Amino acid sequence: MEEESDGFLQLYEGKGTQKTYAYHLVDHLRWRIREGLTTETVTILDLHRYMGAVGARVPLLHGEPWRVPPKRPYGESALQVTAACLKGFYVHQCALRRLNGELREELDVRRLPTQADRDRSLLGHVKASMPANPLAPRGGTRRRHPKMLPDGARPELQQVVNTARDAMVVTWLADSSMRIGALCGLHLADLHLREGAACGECVSPHVHVCHRWGNPNRAAAKGKSDWQLTDGVITGGEIFRASPAMISSYFAYMTTEYATYAGGHGMLLIQLAGPQHGEPWTTDAARGMLRRAGRRAGLPGTIKPHSFRHTATAKVLDASGNDPMVAKVVGNWASTRMVDEVYGHPDMHSPKFQAALTAVWGEQA
């Protein structure tokens, strides 16, 4: 079984997908052992039962409970990843080892292309079909509704955090729209917090987010843009502009807590207490800090790092007059189309909006 999983995961060597698929695959393989199944004997019905056991809505009996408290059923996004992982794993195994041809045929299904599929393809007009995944849960609307921070969350959090490091994290997440993995994975060499930095890639103060697999805290940026270190100067990676508040919070942290506890690893965020004080701070620890700070501030819901990114993107889109290109560049999003679909909205106070609504109401302008 280890050879099967290792062989499949090696297909994604050097990619973030490898770690994600490994998490979902190990859960499935443990369930498969409990059910007494192997790659040779598993059926499409068994895979549907597993999807139901982890949270998908399927018209089947799931058998014994699998994800019991404190574990929670997978959400919609995790179910999509699980379905993709299972299909890829079994198609790979069935083809490589030439077994369970029936399962392979049932997984190898296709569907008619949508307009979005055609738009993404170079020769979309000639596409007659697209691969489909029979394990994927039925999706609803394509538009997602991201979870924003509660109104006034940033100043409330700033008042209840206990350290200069925590205050810096809140400021950097809010002003840069970085992901938490990128923030916890920063090295001091990545920070160009002065005008006219030697990299020559941005005149204003900025930060280079570089994807590194070898960080001791296992934090890694999602984006994998090329970067290099030449004569002590970082170039490339994803560039995020730094606000004056970010720079101010950085110096407050560096001149107090970092100067007192930091080790020689060169990473930005460090642990300030416990037996490993001075070592790099983990993403789980950062999430826990925000969660506890949110409770102390009396904010509704759970404060999550990605909510800062959603909120910052929505604010930039508003300030730029709904220009998705500006929001894309500020947050290093994958595409303007995604920004427009998720965050774009009409200005309810614009003359154009008011004129259209007046016309629909049948009133005179």
Side-chain angles (χ1 to χ4, degrees):
M1 187 178 297
E2 292 182 359
E3 293 180 359
E4 290 183 359
S5 58
D6 288 346
F8 171 65
L9 293 174
Q10 284 176 2
L11 300 175
Y12 303 94
E13 188 68 35
K15 300 179 180 179
T17 305
Q18 185 183 58
K19 186 185 298 184
T20 304
Y21 276 9
Y23 173 84
H24 289 269
L25 189 58
V26 72
D27 185 77
H28 170 68
L29 294 179
R30 287 171 178 167
W31 175 86
R32 202 175 74 171
I33 291 174
R34 190 195 70 174
E35 298 294 311
L37 299 169
T38 64
T39 303
E40 292 88 344
T41 60
V42 70
T43 66
I44 190 71
L45 188 63
D46 294 322
L47 298 185
H48 280 299
R49 282 199 303 114
Y50 174 73
M51 292 298 296
V54 296
R57 293 184 178 181
V58 294
L60 298 169
L61 294 176
H62 309 153
E64 296 180 30
W66 178 242
R67 293 191 64 82
V68 296
K71 294 181 179 180
R72 295 181 297 176
Y74 289 158
E76 182 179 349
S77 179
L79 289 172
Q80 294 285 352
V81 174
T82 301
C85 176
L86 293 183
K87 178 180 177 180
F89 174 73
Y90 283 106
V91 168
H92 174 73
Q93 294 303 322
C94 293
L96 182 67
R97 300 169 60 190
R98 296 182 181 180
L99 49 81
N100 207 339
E102 182 179 353
L103 176 62
R104 183 183 178 188
E105 289 182 6
E106 291 179 308
L107 290 173
D108 188 19
V109 297
R110 303 186 72 82
R111 60 172 173 80
L112 293 175
T114 64
Q115 186 59 49
D117 296 325
R118 296 184 189 277
D119 292 343
R120 283 192 292 263
S121 178
L122 179 62
L123 298 176
H125 61 284
V126 300
K127 284 210 173 281
S129 65
M130 295 288 293
N133 190 342
L135 302 177
R138 293 184 177 273
T141 175
R142 285 176 55 85
R143 183 181 176 91
R144 293 171 290 172
H145 297 275
K147 293 184 178 179
M148 306 292 183
L149 290 173
D151 291 340
R154 176 176 174 174
E156 293 288 341
L157 291 171
Q158 294 282 16
Q159 291 179 11
V160 299
V161 293
N162 297 319
T163 66
R165 178 204 60 196
D166 297 349
M168 175 185 160
V169 168
V170 172
T171 301
W172 281 50
L173 288 175
D175 283 0
S176 72
S177 73
M178 284 186 201
R179 297 176 176 88
I180 191 62
L183 181 57
C184 290
L186 286 176
H187 288 238
L188 297 180
D190 302 335
L191 313 183
H192 293 170
L193 302 181
R194 61 181 177 83
E195 300 282 346
C199 67
E201 295 181 302
C202 183
V203 177
S204 302
H206 61 278
V207 176
H208 294 260
V209 172
C210 306
H211 180 84
R212 297 179 176 92
W213 274 107
N215 284 332
N217 61 354
R218 301 177 68 182
K222 182 177 181 180
K224 300 177 179 63
S225 302
D226 292 337
W227 63 275
Q228 59 182 354
L229 179 64
T230 306
D231 296 330
V233 178
I234 289 284
T235 56
E238 293 182 335
I239 296 178
F240 289 82
R241 290 279 298 274
S243 69
M246 290 171 61
I247 298 173
S248 177
S249 64
Y250 164 79
F251 280 110
Y253 163 63
M254 291 296 293
T255 55
T256 55
E257 297 159 358
Y258 193 89
T260 303
Y261 298 107
H265 45 73
M267 298 194 70
L268 175 61
L269 297 178
I270 60 171
Q271 301 183 51
L272 301 177
Q276 293 185 320
H277 66 272
E279 294 302 307
W281 207 37
T282 65
T283 56
D284 284 344
R287 291 188 179 96
M289 180 276 293
L290 291 171
R291 188 168 56 248
R292 293 188 297 273
R295 287 199 295 263
R296 289 197 299 272
L299 296 173
T302 302
I303 302 299
K304 297 183 179 180
H306 216 65
S307 298
F308 289 87
R309 182 167 169 83
H310 291 316
T311 302
T313 301
K315 288 182 177 179
V316 168
L317 205 58
D318 284 340
S320 64
N322 264 354
D323 188 338
M325 177 56 74
V326 174
K328 172 192 178 297
V329 174
V330 169
N332 281 285
W333 290 97
S335 69
T336 56
R337 179 172 183 171
M338 188 279 298
V339 171
D340 188 45
E341 287 182 352
V342 176
Y343 300 97
H345 59 275
D347 182 358
M348 298 181 66
H349 304 287
S350 69
K352 186 182 295 185
F353 182 89
Q354 185 62 39
L357 197 58
T358 301
V360 171
W361 287 345
E363 298 182 1
Q364 294 183 354

